[in-house]
Amino acid sequence: MEIRYPYSQTDEKVIEKILEDENVGINHMVLPPGEGLPVHNANSHVYMTVIRGQVSLVLDNREEVRYPAGSIVNIAFRTRM
């Protein structure tokens, strides 16, 4: 059997939880240019998939790195982001 997990398809800012269970948490985010998230520590092992555009990350106060669409970025648990 399958379960469908729909998510928003928009160009507006959106942050939504798609799935959360004992094995995995999947969030969907659309962040227009200039938008971002507050500084925080990763509360799990993160796999960030860049579907379109690009994402700029500053991890553990290192230099900013930009990742283009087609990238999957692994961010370790408790990394400051």
Side-chain angles (χ1 to χ4, degrees):
M1 303 296 192
E2 74 270 354
I3 299 172
R4 180 175 178 263
Y5 297 97
Y7 57 90
S8 300
Q9 295 195 21
T10 180
D11 291 326
E12 304 297 318
K13 182 176 181 175
V14 65
I15 301 169
E16 55 191 347
K17 188 172 295 215
I18 305 297
L19 169 66
E20 184 82 37
D21 68 21
E22 65 277 359
N23 299 307
V24 68
I26 299 174
N27 298 316
H28 172 248
M29 295 185 293
V30 176
L31 299 172
E35 294 282 347
L37 299 174
V39 175
H40 64 286
N41 293 328
N43 62 355
S44 66
H45 295 282
V46 174
Y47 290 88
M48 188 175 292
T49 305
V50 185
I51 303 298
R52 61 184 169 137
Q54 67 179 0
V55 65
S56 298
L57 297 174
V58 176
L59 303 175
D60 282 339
N61 297 316
R62 296 184 192 157
E63 259 187 63
E64 178 181 294
V65 178
R66 294 179 186 199
Y67 296 95
S71 299
I72 299 175
V73 183
N74 177 235
I75 303 169
F77 178 54
R78 294 192 179 139
T79 299
R80 188 163 179 80
M81 31 191 301

